[in-house]
Amino acid sequence: MEWQPDEQGLQQVLQLLKDSQSPNTVTQRAVQQKLEQLNQFPDFNNYLIFVLTRLKTEDEPTRSLSGLILKNNVKAHYQNFPPAVADFIKKECLNNIGDPSPLIRATIGILITTIASKGELQTWPELLPQLCNLLNSEDYNTCEGSFGALQKICEDSSELLDSDALNRPLNIMIPKFLQFFKHCSPKIRSHAIACVNQFIIGRAQALMDNIDTFIESLFALAADEDSEVRKNVCRALVMLLEVRIDRLIPHMHSIIQYMLQRTQDPDENVALEACEFWLTLAEQPICKEMLSGHLVQLIPILVNGMKYSEIDIILLKGDVEEDEAVPDSDQDIKPRFHKSRTVTLQHEGGEGEEGEDIEEDDDDDDDTLSDWNLRKCSAAALDVLANVFRDELLPHLLPLLKGLLFHPDWVIKESGILVLGAIAEGCMQGMVPYLPELIPHLIQCLCDKKALVRSIACWTLSRYAHWVVSQPPDSYLKPLMTELLKRILDGNKRVQEAACSAFATLEEEACTELVPYLSFILDTLVFAFGKYQHKNLLILYDAIGTLADSVGHHLNQPVSVCGTLTPFFLLLSQLDTSSLCFLQCLSSVATALQSGFLPYCEPVYQRCVTLVQKTLAQAMMYNQHPDQYEAPDKDFMIVALDLLSGLAEGLGGNVEQLVARSNIMTLLFQCMQDTMPEVRQSSFALLGDLTKACFLHVKPCIAEFMPILGLNLNPEFISVCNNATWAIGEISMQMGAEMQPYVGMVLPHLVEIINRPNTPKTLLENTGTHTSDTCTV
């Protein structure tokens, strides 16, 4: 007997679905409680599928909502569904995949995919054959609904579909999909291409066997009138360029001509997919050979794509000039991640403390508009092509640039400044003759009445900071620095952010060239504390930390410590340990100020030790009872360890009293054994710094520490190994002949690192030096 609903129960469920659409929060809460109660009855899911598939008299939003609640139940509780309930739901889905309503068809497709993702593809053997069979239906709704479900399954389970676990259904599905590339309905054509596209990057064998038919079918759809079809054709060609360029090379001239058209497609989604082609082609060895003859057409298209669209300007509030008093919303404040310090040999000379294993890319010029769009893609494509063609790009660009940079329309002028920034890395050599004229113009643009022009000028100038610093300071550095500092105090938050980021780049390039202007710089940065909202404060911390890293001990001048930095140090009394950026900034300042940081060091030191202790305690509780406690955020502990390193290095012997009054050596012993490599990396850096600053507190722990250091001489974790090696060297120099009992624990590992092929240079230098220290003892 087929399951039938009880009429009273059905009315109850319908009422619940109606109530759940109420905006009233009290009603919503009551609905949630009722749902939790009803989920105790497996029968409830039969009612939900019944409303979705059978109650065609009900309105579509109610029916769809019923399906979405069922989808959530499948996600959370499917393994507890009785077989009869699961079978009823599956049967109803397949029988109603051709519902006349597009919304209901899509909901049923989502439900089928969710069931399939719960491991049901293996135990629902009739699903794929039936969906493929339904594609042949003369009823459009049935064909479209089946294709919609298949597309979702292909997206979610592409690897499984190409595996022996299911008897490789793709061998039947791919040829089937290819037949529908010629279907009279654009929606069906689009589904068919989207399904096949899921298997390009994974090089599914069934697709590789039909690759020529696939490419021919794509070419046949090149001029399709439907934008979704064109978008999927472009996406397919971009992926094929990555995995089967051999099949595209014979047709490359035609494909490039096609992509030049599509990059100008009136539908921006199509244009964006096509623009990806130039980014991907730039990574291929044949790029230069294939594109040289097309640059004259391509460059103006990319440049044109770099203008803000009207929707961009609305989203970026392009007409709002002063917004510094508007508080940041939660989504404005992105999480920022700390990178642990890696000690290099320069550490000893005090020239520069950290060597990063990974370089960060330049901040994107408009990263607050987080969605990837045509402007960003065009700029990225021009950037990578500039790195491929170098100065050969300039004859195609320079005639355009002059018209753009001096254009009366701010949107066009802004795009020209972006173009100039995008080519900075690749075309620097060829641009040098023009920079004496361009840099003053860009500095002038920092005063433009449009905030979006001021902010892009900050970014572009930062891209030429290296050249600016190589010239006599009065020519460009001083005027640039003066104007950037004014922009740091701009009334527009976006300009503040761009100026702070650009100034941090300038600091890294200029280093001690900035020393004569330190008082002026610090006055501005500290004044900005009173103006900035939360998000820009994080960038301001970075600018101050970078300044400290760049000028080093020069920061330790009476005027800096006692005067200008005083408001900054007042923050220590309310030290916000939730701000990683502030802690990182303090670490740099402490290292630079050295003894100048002494009056402020005790509360900072205590806060760091407490942070480490709390995190270790939380980690222990989580490991023992993961169901009761949350995992700690170890980033805070890493930053605290790095700040303690900065204090030890900056204060030298003055740190001894602080160490004596704390349990840091016990905590350090635990951190050195942490499962997270970044924690161990920072622990070994701190151990090395404490060894140099106050060895009398390290020495009693050597017998416990050395075996742990020996275990971490594993080049698989380069930065951990590097810092462990450095710490061993520092200990060896302090221990002298007393190091003898521990040599056997570390020397074989150090020799092995030296003899390994492809050992990074920094690690080799540290290992070589410290192996000789260890051998000497």
Side-chain angles (χ1 to χ4, degrees):
M1 282 281 292
E2 188 184 67
W3 179 87
Q4 288 295 326
D6 170 72
E7 189 55 37
Q8 194 180 347
L10 186 58
Q11 290 310 315
Q12 249 188 311
V13 170
L14 282 171
Q15 189 56 50
L16 187 68
L17 292 167
K18 303 276 188 209
D19 290 347
S20 70
Q21 295 171 63
S22 161
N24 186 301
T25 49
V26 178
T27 310
Q28 286 284 358
R29 260 199 300 274
V31 167
Q32 209 51 46
Q33 286 174 345
K34 187 71 176 163
L35 277 174
E36 283 168 23
Q37 290 167 15
L38 288 171
N39 271 325
Q40 308 304 312
F41 305 99
D43 223 17
F44 175 52
N45 295 300
N46 281 0
Y47 282 92
L48 292 173
I49 190 72
F50 190 89
V51 172
L52 174 66
T53 58
R54 302 275 188 99
L55 285 194
K56 301 188 193 280
T57 51
E58 282 298 323
D59 62 275
E60 289 179 17
T62 300
R63 290 172 63 199
S64 176
L65 182 61
S66 183
L68 294 174
I69 291 171
L70 176 55
K71 179 208 77 168
N72 290 336
N73 287 350
V74 166
K75 263 184 153 174
H77 313 294
Y78 189 74
Q79 65 279 8
N80 300 326
F81 284 19
V85 171
D87 289 343
F88 182 66
I89 293 168
K90 289 177 185 176
K91 197 174 92 181
E92 284 299 300
C93 283
L94 284 172
N95 287 345
N96 292 277
I97 194 71
D99 193 282
S101 157
L103 177 63
I104 301 303
R105 290 200 301 273
T107 308
I108 292 171
I110 290 167
L111 187 50
I112 287 173
T113 316
T114 309
I115 295 169
S117 71
K118 302 301 286 185
E120 284 293 298
L121 271 178
Q122 288 96 320
T123 54
W124 194 359
E126 69 272 24
L127 173 63
L128 294 174
Q130 269 197 253
L131 287 176
C132 285
N133 198 36
L134 290 171
L135 296 180
N136 298 325
S137 170
E138 290 184 8
D139 175 49
Y140 168 80
N141 293 335
T142 303
C143 179
E144 197 278 323
S146 303
F147 243 134
L150 281 165
Q151 184 179 331
K152 293 181 183 79
I153 291 169
C154 291
E155 286 168 8
D156 288 358
S157 309
S158 58
E159 284 182 30
L160 187 56
L161 293 172
D162 191 32
S163 69
D164 290 327
L166 291 180
N167 258 341
R168 299 201 175 268
L170 281 193
N171 293 339
I172 295 163
M173 291 165 72
I174 295 284
K176 183 93 176 172
F177 295 153
L178 290 171
Q179 291 170 13
F180 285 87
F181 278 39
K182 295 175 183 168
H183 197 277
C184 59
S185 158
K187 189 86 190 276
I188 302 294
R189 294 196 298 275
S190 182
H191 276 314
I193 309 167
C195 282
V196 178
N197 281 358
Q198 298 304 320
F199 305 99
I200 298 175
I201 294 296
R203 298 170 185 261
Q205 191 55 50
L207 178 55
M208 294 303 111
D209 292 344
N210 291 276
I211 195 73
D212 292 327
T213 311
F214 176 44
I215 291 170
E216 283 166 27
S217 304
L218 286 173
F219 289 167
L221 292 172
D224 200 283
E225 77 281 0
D226 184 78
S227 60
E228 198 64 24
V229 171
R230 294 197 304 275
K231 185 179 89 174
N232 282 330
V233 168
C234 290
R235 186 174 290 172
L237 289 170
V238 170
M239 289 190 284
L240 286 168
L241 189 60
E242 212 171 307
V243 300
R244 287 310 303 263
I245 194 168
D246 58 315
R247 284 293 195 270
L248 296 187
I249 285 174
H251 315 283
M252 194 56 84
H253 176 74
S254 306
I255 293 170
I256 287 171
Q257 286 301 324
Y258 175 67
M259 287 300 187
L260 286 167
Q261 287 175 14
R262 293 285 71 82
T263 309
Q264 303 170 82
D265 199 283
D267 185 309
E268 188 173 325
N269 292 319
V270 179
L272 177 56
E273 288 295 340
C275 195
E276 295 277 357
F277 181 83
W278 314 114
L279 272 174
T280 307
L281 184 58
E283 293 168 5
Q284 305 298 325
I286 62 155
C287 176
K288 205 163 184 182
E289 177 194 342
M290 290 292 174
L291 261 191
S292 288
H294 301 280
L295 289 178
V296 66
Q297 293 169 279
L298 174 60
I299 298 306
I301 292 169
L302 290 178
V303 167
N304 192 49
M306 289 164 73
K307 292 201 299 276
Y308 275 125
S309 66
E310 286 179 27
I311 194 100
D312 289 341
I313 294 168
I314 293 165
L315 288 170
L316 291 167
K317 302 183 177 71
D319 292 328
V320 177
E321 290 304 315
E322 290 204 12
D323 61 354
E324 65 178 353
V326 180
D328 291 338
S329 61
D330 286 345
Q331 60 261 41
D332 286 337
I333 305 161
K334 293 190 213 165
R336 297 168 85 84
F337 302 101
H338 175 67
K339 283 194 274 187
S340 308
R341 51 197 253 154
T342 305
V343 188
T344 65
L345 275 178
Q346 292 172 316
H347 200 114
E348 297 172 27
E351 291 297 314
E353 299 76 38
E354 299 177 24
E356 304 289 3
D357 349 358
I358 304 165
E359 285 187 18
E360 284 185 21
D361 291 326
D362 283 306
D363 285 342
D364 192 39
D365 61 286
D366 50 353
D367 65 335
T368 47
L369 187 61
S370 56
D371 292 330
W372 186 240
N373 56 23
L374 184 60
R375 167 187 165 88
K376 289 186 175 186
C377 192
S378 301
L382 188 61
D383 188 343
V384 292
L385 289 171
N387 279 288
V388 171
F389 286 94
R390 301 287 171 182
D391 296 344
E392 290 173 42
L393 214 60
L394 291 178
H396 306 286
L397 258 176
L398 290 174
L400 297 171
L401 255 179
K402 193 161 189 180
L404 296 171
L405 289 169
F406 298 93
H407 201 281
D409 182 341
W410 76 266
V411 174
I412 295 173
K413 178 164 84 169
E414 193 277 347
S415 72
I417 299 170
L418 173 58
V419 168
L420 198 55
I423 62 168
E425 189 184 338
C427 302
M428 179 61 81
Q429 206 175 336
M431 288 304 296
V432 165
Y434 307 98
L435 293 180
E437 182 189 350
L438 285 173
I439 296 299
H441 176 66
L442 288 172
I443 292 172
Q444 209 176 340
C445 290
L446 290 173
C447 306
D448 195 275
K449 62 180 183 182
K450 280 289 175 186
L452 289 172
V453 174
R454 298 198 298 278
S455 65
I456 197 64
C458 290
W459 178 76
T460 294
L461 280 160
S462 74
R463 302 270 286 177
Y464 290 94
H466 183 75
W467 180 85
V468 167
V469 169
S470 70
Q471 306 303 304
D474 285 350
S475 306
Y476 307 103
L477 176 61
K478 198 172 174 184
L480 172 58
M481 185 185 61
T482 306
E483 288 306 317
L484 269 183
L485 288 171
K486 286 180 191 171
R487 295 289 66 80
I488 283 173
L489 303 180
D490 200 275
N492 182 275
K493 290 196 284 189
R494 183 181 180 75
V495 178
Q496 292 171 359
E497 178 185 3
C500 256
S501 296
F503 199 76
T505 304
L506 189 65
E507 288 168 343
E508 287 173 339
E509 292 289 348
C511 293
T512 51
E513 294 274 343
L514 297 178
V515 171
Y517 317 107
L518 259 180
S519 180
F520 179 38
I521 293 168
L522 285 166
D523 277 342
T524 305
L525 295 179
V526 171
F527 186 76
F529 275 108
K531 286 174 72 76
Y532 279 18
Q533 299 292 338
H534 184 89
K535 180 190 175 190
N536 284 351
L537 271 179
L538 305 182
I539 297 159
L540 185 60
Y541 295 148
D542 183 54
I544 290 178
T546 305
L547 179 68
D549 291 337
S550 300
V551 301
H553 65 88
H554 295 285
L555 196 65
N556 189 17
Q557 297 172 357
V559 66
S560 302
V561 183
C562 304
T564 322
L565 273 172
T566 303
F568 177 68
F569 288 128
L570 286 175
L571 285 167
L572 296 181
S573 58
Q574 55 217 249
L575 179 55
D576 176 13
T577 50
S578 68
S579 173
L580 290 175
C581 297
F582 187 41
L583 291 172
Q584 282 173 270
C585 173
L586 271 179
S587 179
S588 297
V589 170
T591 307
L593 285 183
Q594 299 175 355
S595 58
F597 197 72
L598 207 52
Y600 313 97
C601 65
E602 188 150 5
V604 178
Y605 181 89
Q606 293 303 340
R607 198 68 67 96
C608 288
V609 171
T610 305
L611 252 178
V612 173
Q613 194 161 315
K614 272 187 183 171
T615 311
L616 287 171
Q618 198 180 337
M620 189 183 294
M621 290 190 294
Y622 172 74
N623 290 336
Q624 290 170 356
H625 306 286
D627 49 332
Q628 293 175 33
Y629 296 97
E630 279 187 29
D633 181 352
K634 290 186 181 177
D635 265 357
F636 288 102
M637 179 160 71
I638 293 164
V639 179
L641 290 167
D642 287 349
L643 180 40
L644 288 169
S645 271
L647 288 174
E649 188 180 349
L651 299 176
N654 290 314
V655 83
E656 188 273 324
Q657 293 177 3
L658 296 170
V659 174
R661 294 198 297 270
S662 72
N663 61 339
I664 188 61
M665 300 315 296
T666 309
L667 298 175
L668 192 54
F669 179 65
Q670 290 174 258
C671 291
M672 285 165 60
Q673 298 172 83
D674 198 271
T675 53
M676 191 174 176
E678 291 82 359
V679 175
R680 302 199 302 278
Q681 179 181 329
S682 293
S683 306
F684 298 142
L686 176 55
L687 176 59
D689 281 317
L690 290 175
T691 299
K692 290 170 75 173
C694 53
F695 186 61
L696 74 151
H697 293 296
V698 176
K699 192 173 181 181
C701 311
I702 294 297
E704 291 174 302
F705 284 2
M706 286 311 294
I708 299 170
L709 286 163
L711 287 172
N712 281 275
L713 296 176
N714 174 7
E716 189 185 336
F717 299 106
I718 293 169
S719 300
V720 177
C721 183
N722 187 71
N723 286 7
T725 307
W726 180 73
I728 290 166
E730 293 300 331
I731 290 167
S732 300
M733 285 190 282
Q734 296 285 349
M735 292 280 281
E738 292 178 74
M739 186 71 180
Q740 197 60 46
Y742 308 107
V743 171
M745 291 180 190
V746 296
L747 194 56
H749 299 293
L750 294 171
V751 172
E752 188 186 334
I753 292 167
I754 289 173
N755 291 326
R756 267 174 72 115
N758 305 322
T759 299
K761 184 169 172 272
T762 308
L763 182 54
L764 266 182
E765 286 173 355
N766 264 352
T767 309
T769 304
H770 298 317
T771 302
S772 67
D773 293 337
T774 312
C775 291
T776 307
V777 303

